[in-house]
Amino acid sequence: QKEVEQDPGPLSVPEGAIVSLNCTYSNSAFQYFMWYRQYSRKGPELLMYTYSSGNKEDGRFTAQVDKSSKYISLFIRDSQPSDSATYLCAMKGASGGSYIPTFGRGTSLIVHP
Amino acid sequence: GAVVSQHPSWVICKSGTSVKIECRSLDFQATTMFWYRQFPKQSLMLMATSNEGSKATYEQGVEKDKFLINHASLTLSTLTVTSAHPEDSSFYICSARVGGASTEAFFGQGTRLTVV
């Protein structure tokens, strides 16, 4: 079992839909959770950075962390065609070698007009 | 967010030559930088962790003599692919951490290397 599992998709939704992207993980040492957006042939762009369990909202994006279930989500409201990209989850611990982020393989999102 | 600049964005080189990729943190000092390799439709594969002023820590299976990493200043890390071969063709991306272990890391734009 990989440390971080993420469905590669593709996930295809109509414009305006609410998108839910998810990752599960197995390492209970993870404390920090991140979501990156990556457009084709570009470097990942940090969208959300959260610590421990709970919700964090930034514009149309909401990150949710449930450490008890080892499950994290990214919600995108009112999705736009410009949101079409690959979304990578990442997580890391707070000490020793666990501070190096572990990435999911990314979910490809397609928002069609 | 913090800005990380990676140069060049793409490069084509002949087999057997060496290529240097630069990663700069433009508006912050980065004690730690990471170098990744990414294959099409795959996730990021960590190659090495680079700490300013010390030797890089390479991941298992990454040849340190082939992928030379230098982090001589708090704003610049370089990756040199030595004696490049077609199988080294890939997308290389750096990221820089803004502070200590608990802080976020920002990525450069990536470099697409093609070895012919």
Side-chain angles (χ1 to χ4, degrees):
Chain A
Q1 182 190 10
K2 289 184 179 179
E3 272 198 302
V4 178
E5 298 277 1
Q6 185 175 12
D7 187 332
L11 176 63
S12 182
V13 302
E15 183 175 356
I18 296 175
V19 174
S20 173
L21 303 166
N22 312 292
C23 288
T24 59
Y25 63 96
S26 58
N27 190 343
S28 58
F30 290 145
Q31 300 281 348
Y32 298 90
F33 304 90
M34 296 141 277
W35 285 97
Y36 289 88
R37 177 174 63 195
Q38 185 176 24
Y39 292 112
S40 180
R41 299 175 184 266
K42 301 290 185 183
E45 172 193 6
L46 181 64
L47 290 176
M48 303 291 274
Y49 185 80
T50 56
Y51 172 71
S52 196
S53 287
N55 294 354
K56 182 176 182 179
E57 187 174 320
D58 184 359
R60 295 185 295 114
F61 299 93
T62 299
Q64 214 169 64
V65 175
D66 182 349
K67 289 187 66 180
S68 63
S69 301
K70 297 189 176 65
Y71 188 88
I72 69 170
S73 300
L74 177 71
F75 298 97
I76 307 175
R77 292 184 298 280
D78 188 25
S79 57
Q80 304 295 311
S82 58
D83 294 327
S84 298
T86 296
Y87 290 80
L88 298 156
C89 66
M91 43 201 81
K92 63 180 180 179
S95 62
S98 68
Y99 70 84
I100 297 174
T102 300
F103 284 83
R105 60 178 297 184
T107 298
S108 175
L109 172 66
I110 302 169
V111 181
H112 51 86
Chain B
V3 180
V4 176
S5 177
Q6 191 173 337
H7 178 81
S9 56
W10 61 270
V11 59
I12 301 173
C13 71
K14 291 185 177 180
S15 188
T17 62
S18 296
V19 174
K20 181 185 283 188
I21 302 169
E22 292 188 348
C23 181
R24 293 181 184 273
S25 55
L26 297 187
D27 51 359
F28 65 100
Q29 294 184 327
T31 306
T32 302
M33 291 186 176
F34 304 96
W35 286 95
Y36 296 86
R37 185 172 178 175
Q38 188 176 36
F39 294 101
K41 299 189 184 299
Q42 298 293 319
S43 188
L44 303 169
M45 184 189 81
L46 180 66
M47 298 175 67
T49 301
S50 167
N51 289 296
E52 186 267 338
S54 62
K55 290 184 179 179
T57 302
Y58 289 81
E59 294 299 299
Q60 192 173 11
V62 178
E63 299 176 60
K64 59 181 66 177
D65 293 332
K66 180 167 187 61
F67 299 99
L68 300 179
I69 291 172
N70 183 281
H71 194 162
S73 80
L74 286 171
T75 59
L76 174 64
S77 177
T78 61
L79 167 67
T80 301
V81 183
T82 63
S83 187
H85 288 98
E87 57 265 31
D88 298 325
S89 298
S90 190
F91 193 54
Y92 293 87
I93 319 174
C94 70
S95 76
R97 204 169 62 197
V98 298
S102 65
T103 59
E104 53 269 60
F106 294 87
F107 282 86
Q109 308 95 311
T111 297
R112 182 157 303 280
L113 170 63
T114 302
V115 185
V116 297

